Amino acid sequence: MINLILFGPPGSGKGTQAAKLVDKYQLLHISTGDLFRYEIGNSTPLGLEAKSYMDRGMLVPDSVTIGMLRNKVEANPDVAGYIFDGFPRTIPQSEALNALMGEKGQRISKLIMLQVSDEELVERLKERGKTSGRPDDANEEVIRKRIDVYKAETSPVFDFYAEYGRSIKINGVGGIEEIFDRLCAEIDSL
Ligand code: ADP
C-alpha cells in the first residue's frame, strides 16, 4: 500500500493535487475539511460543532476529528492506499494516525509538503473565496488566522514524520501539471 500525507498550509494546493493523484494511483482521498463540510451540509450535530471552529479559522478539537477520520478509514479497508489531506494537523492526530495504520499492519509511506509563501497563500484563498462559498475563505482576517494556526499547531507534524525520515518538501508554486509531476516523481521513487 501507498499511504501518503499531502501536507502544507491552507491554500497550498493539496485538494487540487489530491484529486489528480487519486486518478493516477487509485488511492482513497480522505480530506477532513471535505468530511466536515459534508456534515455541515447535512446539519448534523458533528457538522454544527465543527462549523463553530471552522468559521473562526480554528482547528476542530482532536477528539472529534480523530473519531471521524477513524470511521472513514475503517469503512474503507480494502483500498490500494490512502491520501490524507488536511490530516494530521496536530501531534496527537499524528500519533492517532500512526496507531490506526499500525492496527492495519500499515504505515505512512511519505509526508509531502507543498511549499508556498504566505502572501501567495492569502492571494489564492481570497481568489478562491470569490467562488467557493466557504465562509473561511471570505474574510482576510480568518485566512490569516488559519495560516497562523498552521504555523503554531500544524507545522510540528512535518518534524514528527521527519524523525522517521519520511518528510519531504516540494515547491508548491508553478503550474498545476508542473507541481503534479514533482509529486509523481516522489511517489514513483517510493
Ligand atoms: P484549508 O486547508 O484550505 O484551510 P480544509 O478544508 O483542509 O482547508 O480545512 C478547513 C477547516 O476545517 C480548517 O480550518 C479546520 O477548522 C477544519 N479542519 C480540517 N481538518 C482538520 C483537522 N485535521 N483537525 C482540525 N480541524 C480540521
Side-chain angles (χ1 to χ4, degrees):
M1 281 174 92
I2 299 179
N3 299 305
L4 295 176
I5 298 173
L6 207 48
F7 193 74
S12 57
K14 302 183 295 288
T16 305
Q17 295 297 333
K20 293 175 67 65
L21 292 170
V22 162
D23 266 357
K24 177 160 178 182
Y25 296 97
Q26 312 297 311
L27 304 171
L28 180 70
H29 177 206
I30 302 184
S31 156
T32 41
D34 287 350
L35 292 175
F36 285 133
R37 282 184 287 275
Y38 177 81
E39 298 287 336
I40 291 170
N42 287 309
S43 302
T44 65
L46 172 64
L48 292 177
E49 182 178 4
K51 184 172 167 51
S52 66
Y53 295 95
M54 290 167 76
D55 286 356
R56 288 179 287 155
M58 293 168 62
L59 295 184
V60 180
D62 282 338
S63 56
V64 177
T65 308
I66 290 168
M68 180 181 71
L69 186 283
R70 176 177 275 275
N71 287 341
K72 185 74 180 173
V73 169
E74 288 178 348
N76 294 279
D78 300 318
V79 294
Y82 301 93
I83 298 182
F84 297 102
D85 160 6
F87 186 95
R89 260 178 155 99
T90 63
I91 296 296
Q93 290 181 19
S94 311
E95 287 166 345
L97 182 61
N98 274 6
L100 182 57
M101 289 286 113
E103 286 167 27
K104 297 166 67 67
Q106 294 292 323
R107 58 171 218 176
I108 293 299
S109 317
K110 205 93 193 163
L111 176 153
I112 309 180
M113 174 180 170
L114 297 169
Q115 269 191 309
V116 178
S117 73
D118 288 2
E119 284 322 300
E120 167 104 13
L121 295 173
V122 174
E123 284 316 307
R124 286 186 188 181
L125 291 169
K126 278 166 57 181
E127 196 55 38
R128 185 168 83 183
K130 291 179 186 165
T131 54
S132 70
R134 281 177 53 169
D136 59 345
D137 287 345
N139 173 323
E140 181 162 342
E141 215 174 298
V142 174
I143 290 174
R144 291 197 182 271
K145 170 76 180 169
R146 282 154 64 204
I147 295 172
D148 289 348
V149 167
Y150 170 81
K151 287 181 186 163
E153 299 184 50
T154 303
S155 62
V157 170
F158 183 90
D159 304 319
F160 180 89
Y161 285 96
E163 295 228 348
Y164 299 88
R166 296 197 215 129
S167 289
I168 56 153
K169 294 181 186 176
I170 67 165
N171 181 358
V173 180
I176 290 175
E177 292 303 325
E178 200 179 348
I179 298 165
F180 182 60
D181 289 345
R182 290 176 198 145
L183 279 167
C184 293
E186 293 298 337
I187 295 167
D188 292 337
S189 73
L190 281 172

